[in-house]
Amino acid sequence: MKLAEQSDSEILKVANPIMNNLMEASTDIDFEKHTKDFSDRIKKNFTKEDFQKQCQGYLSKLGIFADREFMGTTRHEKLVNVYWKQRLSKTEDEFLATLSLSQQGSRYVVERAYVDLWRLEKQ
């Protein structure tokens, strides 16, 4: 069955382990683990150096990824977006985590994954 035709609970059975791996790999700054489920398209545009810089930046300011709360999905012809409210250990602020998955045969791959960590800086 196509991913976009599955229920939210079925999609979460796929998405949660992938997102858990992404979060753990970011905390550990482990590029190979982080990119293991990436599509070839995203692997071409994402470097180890960019990954390390991003991780070091948010870890020092916001801490590690803490709990997240499922908010919903959007379905497209070729992919599904999964959205969570994400928290980090050094702040009470909430952020939006997004995971975009496509299907390659029976395998689900990451087409995009990010946590929008932007916030208005105090003046």
Side-chain angles (χ1 to χ4, degrees):
M1 177 187 297
K2 289 183 180 179
L3 188 61
E5 295 172 356
Q6 296 180 27
S7 68
D8 281 355
S9 62
E10 291 171 315
I11 291 169
L12 283 173
K13 286 179 186 174
V14 171
N16 275 327
I18 292 172
M19 193 60 148
N20 290 343
N21 178 70
L22 291 170
M23 299 294 180
E24 289 172 16
S26 293
T27 297
D28 298 340
I29 313 180
D30 184 335
F31 181 75
E32 286 72 27
K33 181 178 178 181
H34 188 77
T35 58
K36 78 178 187 79
D37 295 310
F38 280 17
S39 69
D40 291 339
R41 182 193 63 78
I42 194 171
K43 283 181 180 178
K44 288 183 212 173
N45 299 313
F46 191 60
T47 68
K48 187 173 187 174
E49 293 74 26
D50 288 340
F51 169 72
Q52 291 171 335
K53 184 178 176 183
Q54 289 173 16
C55 291
Q56 290 164 347
Y58 83 77
L59 285 168
S60 66
K61 291 180 184 178
L62 302 171
I64 63 172
F65 290 113
D67 62 307
R68 66 178 184 266
E69 177 184 336
F70 174 68
M71 294 175 59
T73 60
T74 56
R75 292 163 172 80
H76 302 266
E77 181 182 348
K78 295 183 180 183
L79 64 88
V80 170
N81 296 304
V82 185
Y83 305 98
W84 293 272
K85 187 185 302 183
Q86 178 69 55
R87 292 177 187 81
L88 286 96
S89 63
K90 291 184 180 179
T91 179
E92 295 298 317
D93 294 346
E94 299 171 333
F95 302 92
L96 179 66
T98 303
L99 178 63
S100 300
L101 296 172
S102 70
Q103 197 168 352
Q104 294 178 351
S106 62
R107 184 171 178 244
Y108 302 104
V109 295
V110 176
E111 295 293 349
R112 185 176 63 153
Y114 68 94
V115 179
D116 185 352
L117 297 175
W118 184 86
R119 59 188 185 163
L120 190 60
E121 294 297 325
K122 296 177 184 175
Q123 296 182 0

